[in-house]
């Protein structure tokens, strides 16, 4: 086998020949550069959560300190949620009723925001109310409210005296947002829709999680409008992706009196390090920057009753679940309510299995009925998805005329923000605009001095290239190639050339480089972080996310330093280096960039006027177009949260107009 692999490797070398040789020789980093950016991001993430642990430890010293910590959490959480729609009339209607053994199911349709509708099943117990109410949030199963385990959970609650509203989340059940004219989903799986919509939502200052939360908020409004419901006794529970919804909702909505979260509670810190960022509906940009952990959503509910349901062999990290639970136990103890928190672990995997359902209903009975008797599930009839359809076609998109999708609402929001952007441009000129840009990008105004190590030289296309590594405290090393015109100690012009593929792509086509050298201009080819020899490996980026660097892009958003901003930092560090080198101190610095790197260069040119000329092509022309073309790939690489509240890309072009060149 070993000899076979050697033979294969030799064959590849013969096949690729000089191309492979020059690709290898252009590498500067002597270790595994592909892991460098993610390793750096995880180190930064741990530092952020170290600060959080210190804050929490101090808050836990007294009930007063902990309540102040809770208030800070709630303020930060509302900031993370960003723009939420205004409440409009629900215009709710029941499109059908199914009589079952001991309860009935009503097919409910209500309006969440203007023109946008939610499908749900309402389980109403037989008998005289008012009954306690429960919101049941579905995980990522395509059938959503029709999923057997969720039907069984709702039936168990209804048979024990609860009115249950079970909601189809966006992109699942009857609520796919990205469909063709026939209502057929354009993506494989709701989690892909969630992820694509989340990237678009971040640009206006929202998230897929916020849209789900708003649907659930309006669902609670509907539940409380029902005469069968006791408005003072309301709980929520959810599993998996529905557990995410339950955690976010119980921390947001004071009307919730008791909660149960299944197959979700763990630690964000361990999840990012062990599995990387998950689906878009669980990602709130800047969560790490503000120091919020999953346990903090538990802390925001405290001291109200909370049950954590976990599978010992769940892919949701169980060690993290124990850590989060132990932290919450201390919180509940400080607040004098240790009995109001409990954790039930079952020796199974992911999902709300029968013992977990039974534990959840017993928990709800304990706190909303004062009855702690053991619950035992009996066989229940589950219905087909078609029987539970609230719409005529099984898809809201093609059954309700004029239905407004989340994507369309995001475009409406972007258009509505245009006036705010115009006002900002008029009021924030020069340094004020650049300062706002720095804040959105996470670019620090002050940078430490740089050091550049000359690693080696390579001979290519008849020229001698210097292999260099730029280092700056608190930033990852930056590899680049540099060629100086022969016989010149001082250079009048320097071209920094950027491509998404990295510096190797320039070596494959040297016509531009050779023209520069003939004019006596120096050329610098860097691999900005996450490109070239520091690009993440495909194995760490599932294709369902439509992004070749999803892991690092979303980790960066979590930390409050979007990838475009980190790459702007790299480009500014290169300017610092050129300014510090005597050979380049008087040189005009020009940038030639393509693709995502062109977007980076454009932001850098607005922030720093040391860039005297910019040539760019194949760049994203508008953040609004990113929302309009939400299914295009690699959008997360360009996402800057809340950007459209202040500017769009054409605004940057206008600012650097005299220095900007179109091909």
């Amino acid at each position: 086998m070993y000899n076979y692999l050697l033979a294969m490797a030799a064959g590849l070398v013969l096949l690729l020949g000089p191309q492979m040789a020059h690709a290898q020789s252009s590498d500067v980093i002597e270790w595994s550069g592909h892991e460098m950016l993610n390793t750096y991001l995880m180190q930064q993430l741990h530092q952020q959560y170290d600060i959080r642990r210190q804050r929490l430890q101090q808050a836990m010293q007294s009930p007063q300190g902990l309540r102040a910590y809770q208030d800070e959490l709630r303020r930060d959480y509302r900031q993370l949620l960003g723009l939420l729609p205004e409440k409009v009339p629900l215009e709710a209607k029941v499109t059908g009723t199914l009589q079952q053994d001991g309860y009935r199911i009503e097919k409910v349709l209500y309006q969440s925001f203007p023109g946008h509708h939610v499908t749900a099943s309402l389980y109403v117990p037989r008998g005289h109310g008012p009954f306690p109410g429960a919101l049941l949030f579905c995980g990522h199963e395509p059938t959503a409210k029709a999923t057997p385990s969720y039907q069984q959970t709702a039936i168990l609650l209804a048979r024990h005296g609860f009115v249950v509203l079970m909601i189809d989340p966006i992109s699942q059940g009857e609520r796919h947002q990205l469909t063709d004219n026939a209502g057929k989903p354009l993506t494989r799986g709701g989690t892909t829709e969630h992820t694509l919509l989340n990237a678009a939502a971040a640009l206006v200052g929202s998230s897929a999680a916020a849209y789900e939360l708003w649907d659930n908020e309006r669902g609670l409004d509907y539940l409380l409008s029902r005469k069968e419901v006791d408005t003072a006794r309301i709980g929520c529970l959810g599993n998996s992706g529905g557990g995410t919804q339950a955690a976010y909702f119980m921390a947001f909505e004071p009307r919730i009196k008791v909660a149960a979260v299944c197959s979700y509670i763990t630690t964000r810190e361990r999840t990012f390090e062990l599995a990387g960022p998950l689906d878009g509906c669980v990602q709130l940009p800047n969560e790490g920057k503000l120091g919020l952990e999953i346990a903090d959503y538990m802390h925001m509910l405290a001291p109200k009753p909370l049950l954590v349901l976990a599978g010992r062999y769940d892919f949701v990290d169980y060690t993290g679940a124990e850590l989060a639970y132990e932290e919450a136990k201390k919180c509940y103890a400080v607040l004098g309510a240790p009995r109001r928190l409990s954790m039930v672990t079952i020796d199974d995997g992911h999902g709300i299995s029968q013992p977990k359902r039974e534990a959840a209903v017993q928990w709800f009975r304990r706190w909303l009925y004062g009855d702690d008797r053991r619950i035992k599930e009996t066989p229940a009839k589950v219905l087909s998805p078609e029987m539970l359809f609230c719409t005529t076609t099984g898809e809201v998109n093609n059954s309700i005329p004029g239905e407004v999708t989340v994507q369309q609402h995001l475009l409406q929001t972007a258009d509505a923000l245009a006036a705010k952007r115009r006002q900002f441009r008029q009021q924030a000129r020069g340094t004020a605009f650049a300062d706002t840009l720095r804040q959105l990008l996470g670019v620090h105004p002050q940078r430490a001095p740089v050091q550049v190590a000359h690693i080696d030289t390579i001979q290519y296309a008849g020229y001698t290239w210097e292999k260099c590594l730029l280092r700056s405290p608190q930033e990852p090393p930056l590899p680049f190639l540099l060629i100086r015109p022969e016989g010149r100690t001082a250079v009048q012009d320097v071209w920094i050339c950027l491509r998404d593929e990295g510096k190797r792509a320039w070596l494959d086509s040297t016509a531009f480089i050779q023209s520069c050298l003939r004019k006596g201009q120096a050329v610098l080819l860097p691999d900005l972080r996450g490109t070239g020899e520091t690009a993440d490996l495909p194995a760490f980026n599932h294709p369902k996310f439509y992004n070749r660097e999803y892991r690092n892009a979303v980790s960066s958003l979590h930390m409050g330093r979007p990838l475009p901003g980190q790459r702007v930092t790299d480009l500014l560090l290169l300017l610092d280096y050129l300014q510090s080198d005597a050979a380049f101190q008087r040189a005009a610095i020009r940038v030639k960039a393509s693709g995502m790197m062109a977007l980076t260069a454009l932001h850098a040119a607005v922030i720093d006027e040391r860039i005297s000329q910019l040539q760019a092509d194949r760049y994203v022309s508008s953040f609004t177009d990113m929302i309009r073309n939400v299914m295009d790939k690699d959008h997360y690489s360009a996402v800057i949260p809340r950007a459209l509240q202040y500017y769009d890309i054409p605004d940057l072009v206008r600012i650097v107009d005299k220095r900007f060149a179109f091909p």
Side-chain angles (χ1 to χ4, degrees):
M1 181 67 178
Y2 177 74
N3 290 334
Y4 172 76
L5 291 175
L6 283 177
M8 288 290 291
L12 284 172
V13 169
L14 288 173
L15 179 65
L16 296 175
Q19 194 171 26
M20 171 180 272
H22 104 247
Q24 290 176 332
S25 65
S26 67
D27 284 354
V28 175
I29 297 174
E30 298 174 345
W31 60 91
S32 178
H34 295 294
E35 282 292 322
M36 185 174 71
L37 178 54
N38 190 257
T39 300
Y40 166 79
L41 293 173
M42 291 306 99
Q43 291 170 354
Q44 297 295 304
L45 180 140
H46 292 320
Q47 290 179 20
Q48 289 180 333
Y49 281 122
D50 284 343
I51 295 171
R52 173 196 172 267
R53 277 184 281 273
Q54 295 170 9
R55 287 175 50 225
L56 179 61
Q57 184 177 12
Q58 182 62 35
M60 290 279 197
Q61 301 303 309
S62 68
Q64 295 82 2
L66 189 51
R67 282 192 285 270
Y69 180 77
Q70 288 177 307
D71 290 340
E72 291 176 9
L73 288 178
R74 293 184 183 110
R75 286 194 297 270
D76 289 344
Y77 178 38
R78 289 306 299 263
Q79 180 181 336
L80 287 178
L81 288 173
L83 297 174
L84 292 172
E86 293 184 9
K87 288 192 176 184
V88 295
L90 289 166
E91 298 180 359
K93 59 182 177 181
V94 175
T95 64
T97 301
L98 302 169
Q99 295 293 340
Q100 302 294 296
D101 182 15
Y103 60 96
R104 71 180 186 272
I105 303 174
E106 296 184 8
K107 306 175 184 182
V108 176
L109 194 66
Y110 64 87
Q111 181 177 236
S112 176
F113 53 80
H116 182 77
H117 294 86
V118 178
T119 47
S121 296
L122 185 74
Y123 291 70
V124 183
R126 182 178 299 162
H128 299 289
F131 302 102
L135 289 166
L136 176 54
F137 304 132
C138 301
H140 288 141
E141 289 80 3
T143 49
K145 65 182 183 305
T147 303
S149 62
Y150 300 146
Q151 289 190 55
Q152 291 165 330
T153 304
I155 292 167
L156 192 60
L157 281 162
R159 285 179 171 175
H160 287 85
F162 293 88
V163 178
V164 184
L165 184 68
M166 182 159 48
I167 299 167
D168 276 340
I170 56 172
S171 311
Q172 297 168 238
E174 300 178 70
R175 300 189 60 219
H176 291 94
Q177 303 297 298
L178 306 176
T179 65
D180 61 19
N181 292 334
K184 182 180 178 181
L186 295 172
T187 66
R188 294 179 59 186
T191 55
T192 296
E193 262 201 24
H194 289 160
T195 301
L196 297 177
L197 291 171
N198 193 54
L203 294 167
V204 300
S206 186
S207 61
Y211 275 94
E212 286 187 334
L213 182 141
W214 192 251
D215 290 340
N216 297 335
E217 172 74 359
R218 300 318 318 274
L220 177 57
D221 292 341
Y222 173 74
L223 186 63
L224 296 180
S225 74
R226 298 288 303 230
K227 59 181 176 52
E228 301 94 338
V229 175
D230 180 350
T231 60
R233 293 186 292 165
I234 302 294
C236 72
L237 70 158
N239 169 68
S240 187
T244 308
Q245 295 177 60
Y248 287 157
F249 195 72
M250 70 190 190
F252 173 83
E253 180 47 74
R255 292 176 289 182
I256 293 299
K257 299 300 190 293
V258 59
V261 181
C262 180
S263 284
Y264 171 66
I265 297 299
T266 182
T267 75
R268 195 76 79 208
E269 189 172 9
R270 282 181 63 85
T271 299
F272 268 88
E273 187 165 53
L274 296 175
L278 304 177
D279 307 310
C281 54
V282 303
Q283 309 298 337
L284 290 171
N286 296 315
E287 192 181 37
K289 177 183 179 181
L290 294 178
L292 268 74
E293 252 289 6
I294 291 174
D296 284 318
Y297 299 97
M298 304 163 74
H299 301 334
M300 282 185 261
L301 180 71
K304 295 176 183 177
L306 171 62
L307 174 67
V308 176
L309 297 166
R312 196 178 303 276
Y313 306 107
D314 199 333
F315 62 79
V316 174
D317 179 54
Y318 183 70
T319 299
E322 290 183 309
L323 291 170
Y325 175 68
E326 289 300 318
E327 185 180 292
K329 269 179 64 176
K330 295 176 183 177
C331 172
Y332 273 77
V334 170
L335 295 175
R339 290 184 60 254
R340 294 185 181 181
L341 176 71
S342 184
M343 181 172 175
V344 172
T345 298
I346 305 298
D347 282 343
D348 64 9
H350 195 73
I352 191 161
S353 56
Q354 179 177 333
K356 293 172 185 171
R357 297 194 292 268
E358 292 171 344
V361 176
Q362 182 176 346
W363 184 256
F364 274 47
R365 288 283 304 184
R366 176 192 297 178
W367 296 106
L368 297 180
Y369 271 105
D371 173 14
D372 199 23
R373 285 177 294 178
R374 185 181 175 189
I375 300 296
K376 184 62 179 175
E377 182 178 278
T378 56
K381 177 184 177 183
V382 296
L383 306 178
S384 68
E386 292 76 14
M387 292 186 69
L388 294 170
F389 279 169
C390 304
T391 62
T392 56
T393 65
E395 282 290 350
V396 169
N397 259 4
N398 67 348
S399 63
I400 300 177
E403 173 69 12
V404 176
T405 66
V406 169
Q407 181 190 17
Q408 290 167 338
H409 188 260
L410 289 170
L411 283 170
Q412 292 171 359
T413 304
D415 289 342
L417 288 169
K420 181 179 179 181
R421 294 196 294 272
R422 283 194 298 272
Q423 183 180 8
F424 175 72
R425 288 198 308 269
Q426 293 167 358
Q427 295 177 350
R429 299 181 181 276
T431 57
F433 190 99
D435 288 344
T436 300
L437 218 55
R438 287 191 190 93
Q439 292 174 12
L440 293 172
L441 292 167
V443 172
H444 302 302
Q446 301 296 326
R447 293 179 300 280
V450 298
Q451 293 183 336
V452 171
H454 295 267
I455 305 299
D456 199 359
T457 60
I458 60 171
Q459 298 294 323
Y460 189 72
Y463 299 102
T464 301
W465 292 82
E466 300 176 45
K467 298 168 68 172
C468 303
L469 195 63
L470 183 151
R471 296 180 184 274
S472 178
Q474 303 304 314
E475 302 296 343
L478 195 166
F480 65 91
L481 301 179
L482 174 66
I483 185 166
R484 309 166 189 250
E486 293 183 7
R488 300 197 183 190
T489 56
V491 179
Q492 298 300 314
D493 294 281
V494 181
W495 279 97
I496 300 176
C497 300
L498 306 171
R499 281 189 185 173
D500 296 348
E501 303 85 356
K503 59 184 181 300
R504 292 176 186 171
W506 290 100
L507 295 180
D508 289 332
S509 177
T510 60
F512 175 77
I513 296 173
Q514 290 174 341
S515 69
C516 294
L517 296 173
R518 285 195 296 268
K519 298 173 187 175
Q521 298 170 331
V523 179
L524 191 156
L525 309 180
D527 282 343
L528 303 189
R529 68 186 74 184
T531 69
E533 62 181 295
T534 68
D536 205 13
L537 295 173
F540 294 112
N541 298 278
H542 197 290
K544 76 172 186 176
F545 294 130
Y546 283 43
N547 196 275
R548 62 190 172 203
E549 52 183 350
Y550 182 80
R551 176 170 75 148
N552 290 335
V554 176
S555 298
S556 298
L557 292 173
H558 179 80
M559 293 169 43
R561 291 190 68 195
L563 265 185
Q566 293 186 60
R567 288 166 174 162
V568 166
T569 295
D570 284 346
L571 188 47
L572 299 183
L573 289 171
L574 287 170
L575 300 183
D576 293 345
Y577 155 65
L578 292 172
Q579 192 174 43
S580 67
D581 190 314
F584 305 112
Q585 283 179 348
R586 296 186 178 182
I589 300 173
R590 311 175 191 277
V591 176
K592 184 177 178 64
S594 182
M596 290 294 176
M597 297 306 102
L599 185 63
T600 294
L602 180 56
H603 282 84
V606 173
I607 289 174
D608 197 318
E609 292 189 353
R610 288 180 295 178
I611 297 176
S612 61
Q613 183 182 352
L614 175 60
Q615 293 183 8
D617 65 7
R618 297 193 297 114
Y619 63 95
V620 179
S621 60
S622 166
F623 290 133
T624 306
D625 282 345
M626 286 173 59
I627 300 174
R628 186 172 292 109
N629 303 307
V630 70
M631 291 185 61
D632 286 356
K633 291 186 177 180
D634 294 323
H635 276 180
Y636 270 99
S637 300
V639 167
I640 301 168
R642 298 189 299 122
L644 281 172
Q645 295 183 21
Y646 298 94
Y647 72 98
D648 202 349
I649 296 169
D651 299 322
L652 304 184
V653 175
R654 279 191 287 269
I655 291 173
V656 298
D657 181 51
K658 293 181 180 178
R659 294 179 285 144
F660 197 81
F662 296 90

